[in-house]
Amino acid sequence: MNEPPRGVRPGEAPHRPSSTASMTERGGAARGAGSPVPWHLRRAMEALDALDVDPASGLDSTEAQRRLARYGANELLATPAVPLWRKILRQFQDPLIYLLLAAITIAVIAWAVEGAAGPPVDAIVIGAVVLFNGVLGFVQENKAETAVAALRVMTAANSTVLRDRELKTVPSAALVPGDILVLNEGDSVGADARLITANSLVVAESSLTGESAPVFKDTRLLSGDVPLGDRQNMVYKGTAVARGVGRAVVTGTAMDTEVGGIAGMLAAAEDAPTPLQQEIASVSRLLGLSVVAIAVIVMTTIILVSGVNTLTGLVAVLLLGVSLAVAAVPEGLPAILSVVLAMGVQDMARRKAVVKELHSVETLGSASVIASDKTGTLTRNQMTICRIRTASGEAELTGVGYRPEGHVLHNGQEVRDPALLQEVRMVLAGGSFANNAQLREHDGDWEIQGDPTEAAFLVAARKLEGVPERVGEFERRGEIPFTSERKLMSALARHREVGTLSLVTKGAPDVLLDRCTGMQLGGDVVPLDPERRARALGDVEELSARAFRTLGVAYRRYTEADRHEADILDEEDESTLVYIGVVGILDPPRAEAAPAVAEARRAGIRVVMITGDHPLSAARIAGDLGIAGPGERAVTGAELDELDEAGLRALARNTSVYARVAPQNKLQIITALQADGNVVAMTGDGVNDAPALKTADIGIAMGIAGTEVTKEASNMILGDDNFATIVAAVRQGRVIFENIEKFLRYLLSSNMGEVFTVFLGVVFAGAMGLAGAGAGEIAVPLLATQILWINLVTDSGPALAMGVDPEIDDVMSRRPRSRNDRILGPRMWRGILGIGLVMAVASLLAIDIFLPGGLVPDGGDSLDVARTAGFTTLVFAQLFNAFNARSETTSAFRRLFVNKWLWGSVLLAAALQVAVVELPFLQRAFGTASLDPGHWAVCVLLASTVLWFAELRKIALRMGQRRRAARARGPLPASRDSGGPETPMQ
């Protein structure tokens, strides 16, 4: 062929019936004034007339906005929002809150029985604490919901439409009746629509009809009562284009679609709790049962030791027990966890990594393998044709990117060989005709719409005079779309004046050459004998070895005898082709890709490249980026097909580069890696990547080049299609998980400090002088209201601040967490209990120092003063502990001032503690007494022992780590808190 082409095919795809039962056709307001005829029983032109739209130009923007205002957003009715009053009420639906409410009731009854003298202080204080906790929980829940809603907006589906005579990408929610929907492989169908054109269009409708096999579509008029699954001339919202291309006019949106008709029957299923949520819930339950038992023991001991025999005394003991149970159980943990995850995910989204679900962060930080595509992820995805190899030699094209500026050269000079020049023209013309991309200039910048590889032909064609004009002499009459399995794409060309028909095919050169019987040599066609075939394959190998991506171009000219075969195109047409030549396309690696690969390797993460490119090209790029070692070759999909499951697992352990892979090969690779215990993150962009993305632990879709189907199947979407963003997201995922460890360590150790203080204070009351200091009242180390105050002031603020703590330890210097690692491992529990015990000893020592008759002589203060000192020491000890908890092994003094939110919450808590001690109205409410400077100094000094104890413990842990690392001659353990042995990287 020396006459390549352009146009739209009138032929239809073959009919394939569906067995799905019939459903009522929906059309609503958009169906046409007073017309009951379903859309699938109308001709395409009738539908266009009824919807008042020109298929060549589409709606204009003004009309689209008017229709959007009339019909509303293209969204299914959401689950009704929870009313505000119910959200507020939900904050008080907790067994621990019920205990406090019961305590308030008992306190009020006791106050009334004893004469109602003065206000019921205990009841008022406990009520205020309950109310404040409810407000705080509501604010935290609302913040998490807002973050999740923002993520839904970021991951909303898009559709391509024809508006104002231009192809535009719009949110699917903005589709309106009458829009001309442009369908390509991998698109998620955004609305119900009547097909106008269909070229080998196949749509997966299992989500709507239950039919597992994709359905072939065409534009033919149907008649009679046609079941939903057999309506070949319609496409429906929520289905996916599996193959082919087409255009359709939107007939129904939102609830006026088939899926909208059944939306009311869909029951909303609650999300299952994640492993982290389950672990935290289990810890809370265990802690709750333990503390209730301790509270019962404490109350029983107090009653027996103090001889309680009055209603007031019993109420005081009961309030103490209830307060201890409430304070010791971190009931705010789920809310804080949600807020921390939401804030972390929002931060990741700002960095171009949009995680669709909060719990995916758990998995992201544990990734041990990243299986990445090459094009656009590790490279820039700015395809540029730099070389053209034909039978007559090689031509070089200058210029890079999408700006069509440059020259065609041979040995540095303009091409003078007529044969070479003609072959180059034919290659560029053929590649430009068998093409679905668009190139246009906008405000001085050149932009593409469609596949970057196809766009490279459009750019290159403009660098050689006469090629675009030659392409314009032909109209396009049909297409055999590209698929990952065939690795070819063909278009049927008809000369506008002469009427001759030609088929232009482009694709993988090795696959293309198998279908060729001739070769273009200047203006002649010569047989493709073994010698010429070997030379052509050698050209491909040489270009691939130089890291060029290769794409071959061929053609077939139909004669009068076989012209009828062009009425319906199929793969049999792609035979007896004439090979023209091969182009070498350069897609340079991203500058940040190699450092990102090195960072991933430092973090114990294997990077695997999976590409459809030539093995030599793939191996060269992988070597340049540090993915593959010197001399490592790429394994092809054909080699994978020959392996059994055991052989595939063995191969996957040591292979870093896969080339010429089919979609099923990607699934094989991911499954083999997971079978070896790896947590696999995989990137994908095409519709055939969706199964592998769903199988991977973390499916990562390309936000720019990715199809809508791929985005829906993924857990994360890259806003910039950049591999470095994946590695940055893994780092951020590890930081988020580490911050969860921080606030768990802080909350649980602080709560243990309260439990130990009360329990040991009751047990050793006699030795401390507490037993005889009551003067008629029950002598306990802390009052019920003081325990609730500690819980209120020191819990939520610092814990939330730790949720946004910057990276303290180098999270990328550790290997990934194992699937079996628990966030609350034995070592963390030892630290929690040790810190809690030190807090209790410091607080009780403060009471003993100031109270007469204890272990420390010369104490002369009242019980109120001594108890206030112990109360203040415990509060300050928890605030010191906030800085300890930022790392299990790193000193609290490292990067001490980087978290302004933590400092703010600590200073606020300290100021509130000073107020509760020194302000008279708060003294009456919480049973405190003023302290002089000496008392304050002792309290702060004793509280700081928590800091020094933790620093000594961290020194010991670091020394132990260094000894283990020296013995193993390897990096530090994967999980600092698992308490288990180190595991080798898979």
Side-chain angles (χ1 to χ4, degrees):
M1 172 215 100
N2 58 0
E3 29 184 59
R6 201 173 185 94
V8 180
R9 167 197 179 188
E12 309 299 343
H15 176 80
R16 176 176 291 180
S18 168
S19 60
T20 307
S22 173
M23 293 182 64
T24 301
E25 176 85 46
R26 305 179 71 84
R31 186 176 283 177
S35 175
V37 181
W39 292 109
H40 66 277
L41 299 182
R42 302 189 194 190
R43 297 182 184 279
M45 288 308 300
E46 291 178 27
L48 291 165
D49 290 341
L51 293 161
D52 192 22
V53 60
D54 181 352
S57 59
L59 298 174
D60 60 57
S61 298
T62 304
E63 177 63 16
Q65 287 299 318
R66 189 187 68 78
R67 296 191 185 193
L68 184 62
R70 177 182 177 186
Y71 297 117
N74 179 30
E75 296 173 334
L76 300 181
L77 290 180
T79 304
V82 179
L84 179 64
W85 66 268
R86 185 168 291 177
K87 286 184 179 181
I88 295 174
L89 186 62
R90 191 163 56 197
Q91 307 308 317
F92 303 98
Q93 295 175 337
D94 184 274
L96 296 175
I97 298 297
Y98 299 155
L99 275 178
L100 285 179
L101 294 175
I104 292 172
T105 303
I106 294 171
V108 171
I109 293 173
W111 167 76
V113 168
E114 296 190 354
V121 175
D122 286 347
I124 292 173
V125 170
I126 297 174
V129 169
V130 170
L131 183 62
F132 187 84
N133 269 327
V135 171
L136 187 62
F138 171 76
V139 171
Q140 291 171 346
E141 180 182 322
N142 193 60
K143 186 174 182 67
E145 288 179 352
T146 301
V148 172
L151 290 177
R152 289 198 189 102
V153 172
M154 293 179 191
T155 56
N158 293 316
S159 296
T160 302
V161 296
L162 181 66
R163 286 185 184 173
D164 302 314
R165 294 185 177 275
E166 292 183 353
L167 293 182
K168 296 183 178 180
T169 300
V170 300
S172 295
L175 293 177
V176 297
D179 259 329
I180 302 300
L181 200 58
V182 180
L183 303 171
N184 291 289
E185 179 180 320
D187 285 352
S188 177
V189 180
D192 287 6
R194 171 63 163 94
L195 283 169
I196 305 169
T197 66
N199 293 323
S200 301
L201 186 64
V202 181
V203 178
E205 296 184 336
S206 59
S207 60
L208 181 64
T209 67
E211 180 73 29
S212 58
V215 179
F216 283 73
K217 296 290 184 177
D218 59 50
T219 64
R220 287 179 293 184
L221 179 66
L222 302 176
S223 62
D225 184 13
V226 185
L228 178 66
D230 292 342
R231 296 174 190 168
Q232 271 77 17
N233 59 12
M234 296 288 296
V235 289
Y236 295 105
K237 179 179 174 66
T239 60
V241 180
R243 188 168 71 247
V245 295
R247 293 193 178 190
V249 58
V250 173
T251 57
T253 58
M255 296 303 291
D256 204 29
T257 59
E258 288 293 339
V259 72
I262 61 174
M265 298 183 285
L266 299 177
E270 293 188 5
D271 292 333
T274 68
L276 178 59
Q277 291 172 327
Q278 291 174 339
E279 184 176 353
I280 289 178
S282 174
V283 169
S284 295
R285 284 193 299 269
L286 176 63
L287 193 58
L289 292 173
S290 302
V291 171
V292 167
I294 292 173
V296 170
I297 294 173
V298 168
M299 289 188 292
T300 304
T301 304
I302 292 174
I303 291 172
L304 294 176
V305 172
S306 303
V308 177
N309 52 19
T310 66
L311 180 60
T312 302
L314 287 172
V315 170
V317 172
L318 178 62
L319 291 181
L320 177 69
V322 170
S323 300
L324 180 62
V326 170
V329 178
E331 71 279 359
L333 260 185
I336 294 174
L337 176 63
S338 295
V339 172
V340 168
L341 284 173
M343 291 190 296
V345 166
Q346 279 186 314
D347 185 51
M348 292 173 70
R350 286 190 289 270
R351 304 183 189 193
K352 306 294 186 182
V354 181
V355 178
K356 293 168 62 177
E357 296 178 349
L358 299 183
H359 69 81
S360 297
V361 174
E362 297 178 40
T363 314
L364 187 61
S366 303
S368 57
V369 175
I370 300 176
S372 176
D373 193 8
K374 176 179 74 70
T375 304
T377 310
L378 293 165
T379 60
R380 296 178 185 174
N381 202 23
Q382 292 186 347
M383 302 294 187
T384 305
I385 295 178
C386 300
R387 298 289 188 277
I388 299 177
R389 278 285 185 94
T390 66
S392 299
E394 177 178 295
E396 175 187 355
L397 280 73
T398 62
V400 294
Y402 296 132
R403 182 171 293 278
E405 296 175 353
H407 303 279
V408 180
L409 307 175
H410 176 63
N411 294 329
Q413 304 292 326
E414 288 188 13
V415 180
R416 301 186 184 280
D417 181 354
L420 177 59
L421 188 60
Q422 182 168 355
E423 292 160 8
V424 169
R425 286 181 187 276
M426 292 179 65
V427 167
L428 295 180
S432 298
F433 181 79
N435 200 306
N436 289 315
Q438 290 186 1
L439 176 68
R440 58 181 174 227
E441 187 178 14
H442 181 70
D443 294 335
D445 292 326
W446 287 86
E447 301 174 346
I448 69 161
Q449 181 89 23
D451 184 84
T453 302
E454 293 195 329
F457 275 99
L458 302 182
V459 176
R462 296 193 181 208
K463 297 178 182 179
L464 187 59
E465 185 179 356
V467 174
E469 292 76 14
R470 182 60 174 163
V471 172
E473 294 177 8
F474 296 84
E475 63 176 351
R476 186 156 158 181
R477 296 293 303 275
E479 176 183 331
I480 307 175
F482 174 87
T483 68
S484 301
E485 293 81 9
R486 297 190 319 110
K487 297 183 174 62
L488 297 174
M489 181 268 188
S490 297
L492 181 66
R494 179 184 180 277
H495 196 281
R496 297 182 188 275
E497 295 182 2
V498 181
T500 55
L501 292 176
S502 302
L503 185 76
V504 185
T505 303
K506 72 178 193 304
D510 48 348
V511 177
L512 186 66
L513 280 164
D514 286 341
R515 300 184 180 227
C516 293
T517 57
M519 173 180 279
Q520 192 74 31
L521 183 61
D524 301 321
V525 176
V526 297
L528 186 61
D529 56 30
E531 182 181 348
R532 291 190 178 101
R533 185 183 299 273
R535 190 185 310 128
L537 287 172
D539 290 342
V540 174
E541 294 287 326
E542 184 180 341
L543 288 173
S544 298
R546 292 154 60 186
F548 286 107
R549 183 179 184 182
T550 56
L551 206 64
V553 180
Y555 74 96
R556 169 186 178 181
R557 185 179 295 118
Y558 291 99
T559 65
E560 289 294 332
D562 60 10
R563 177 176 295 193
H564 67 280
E565 296 180 12
D567 291 341
I568 295 179
L569 291 177
D570 57 34
E571 293 183 29
E572 292 183 5
D573 286 87
E574 297 171 329
S575 60
T576 63
L577 299 173
V578 177
Y579 182 76
I580 311 173
V582 61
V583 298
I585 302 174
L586 188 63
D587 183 18
R590 294 178 181 267
E592 61 273 24
V597 170
E599 180 74 349
R601 293 172 68 90
R602 188 174 73 88
I605 302 171
R606 277 184 63 198
V607 179
V608 174
M609 178 194 288
I610 304 177
T611 179
D613 282 355
H614 192 281
L616 290 177
S617 177
R620 170 72 179 273
I621 293 289
D624 291 344
L625 294 176
I627 295 174
E632 183 175 348
R633 72 177 190 90
V635 175
T636 65
E639 294 176 80
L640 295 177
D641 291 335
E642 297 175 357
L643 298 174
D644 58 15
E645 186 176 337
L648 189 61
R649 286 181 60 180
L651 179 75
R653 290 191 189 105
N654 301 303
T655 301
S656 301
V657 192
Y658 300 88
R660 284 287 189 261
V661 293
Q664 68 270 18
N665 298 136
K666 294 183 179 182
L667 198 57
Q668 290 176 305
I669 296 166
I670 299 304
T671 304
L673 289 168
Q674 289 174 323
D676 253 8
N678 290 292
V679 176
V680 183
M682 181 198 165
T683 69
D685 53 10
V687 62
N688 289 316
D689 291 331
L693 289 186
K694 276 190 171 292
T695 302
D697 299 280
I698 310 147
I700 304 172
M702 301 296 103
I704 299 173
T707 62
E708 293 300 326
V709 171
T710 309
K711 293 175 186 176
E712 290 177 6
S714 67
N715 306 104
M716 187 173 90
I717 299 174
L718 291 184
D720 57 1
D721 292 8
N722 193 339
F723 179 82
T725 302
I726 302 175
V727 178
V730 170
R731 174 186 284 275
Q732 188 64 16
R734 291 189 178 190
V735 170
I736 292 171
F737 204 86
E738 186 169 76
N739 287 347
I740 293 172
E741 288 182 334
K742 293 176 185 179
F743 74 68
L744 283 174
R745 188 183 300 118
Y746 168 73
L747 287 175
L748 294 177
S749 59
S750 296
N751 289 355
M752 285 297 98
E754 298 167 33
V755 172
F756 285 148
T757 297
V758 175
F759 180 72
L760 296 177
V762 170
V763 171
F764 297 105
M768 295 170 53
L770 268 175
E777 64 174 286
I778 300 172
V780 290
L782 295 172
L783 299 177
T785 52
Q786 292 173 350
I787 294 174
L788 293 176
W789 171 266
I790 296 172
N791 196 46
L792 183 67
V793 169
T794 65
D795 271 13
S796 295
L800 282 173
M802 287 181 203
V804 295
D805 202 35
E807 183 178 348
I808 301 302
D809 299 324
D810 182 4
V811 297
M812 299 298 274
S813 65
R814 296 190 295 269
R815 294 179 179 180
R817 295 179 74 252
S818 166
R819 290 179 183 270
N820 300 320
D821 284 351
R822 298 179 65 86
I823 191 170
L824 293 168
R827 191 169 81 179
M828 182 184 276
W829 273 117
R830 289 194 294 270
I832 287 169
L833 296 175
I835 293 292
L837 191 59
V838 171
M839 285 185 189
V841 171
S843 302
L844 295 175
L845 184 58
I847 295 174
D848 193 295
I849 288 173
F850 297 116
L851 195 66
L855 297 175
V856 179
D858 302 328
D861 290 300
S862 67
L863 175 59
D864 285 343
V865 171
R867 186 155 48 201
T868 299
F871 169 44
T872 300
T873 300
L874 184 55
V875 169
F876 283 174
Q878 294 195 9
L879 297 182
F880 277 114
N881 187 40
F883 297 101
N884 288 335
R886 296 173 68 218
S887 174
E888 180 81 358
T889 56
T890 300
S891 170
F893 296 100
R894 183 174 184 270
R895 305 194 71 193
L896 181 60
F897 299 102
V898 295
N899 191 340
K900 62 181 180 180
W901 298 107
L902 181 59
W903 275 99
S905 63
V906 167
L907 293 175
L908 177 61
L912 290 172
Q913 182 62 22
V914 172
V916 83
V917 170
E918 301 297 340
L919 296 180
F921 75 95
L922 290 177
Q923 289 176 342
R924 289 191 297 273
F926 291 93
T928 59
S930 294
L931 300 178
D932 61 32
H935 288 83
W936 281 105
V938 170
C939 291
V940 173
L941 183 62
L942 288 173
S944 70
T945 57
V946 172
L947 179 63
W948 309 123
F949 170 81
E951 287 297 305
L952 291 174
R953 179 174 179 271
K954 290 176 181 180
I955 290 173
L957 288 175
R958 290 197 297 270
M959 292 175 64
Q961 283 183 334
R962 282 195 289 269
R963 284 196 298 270
R964 288 194 297 273
R967 285 197 299 269
R969 295 184 180 277
L972 297 181
S975 173
R976 295 160 299 147
D977 298 318
S978 65
E982 299 179 23
T983 57
M985 182 180 70
Q986 299 295 332

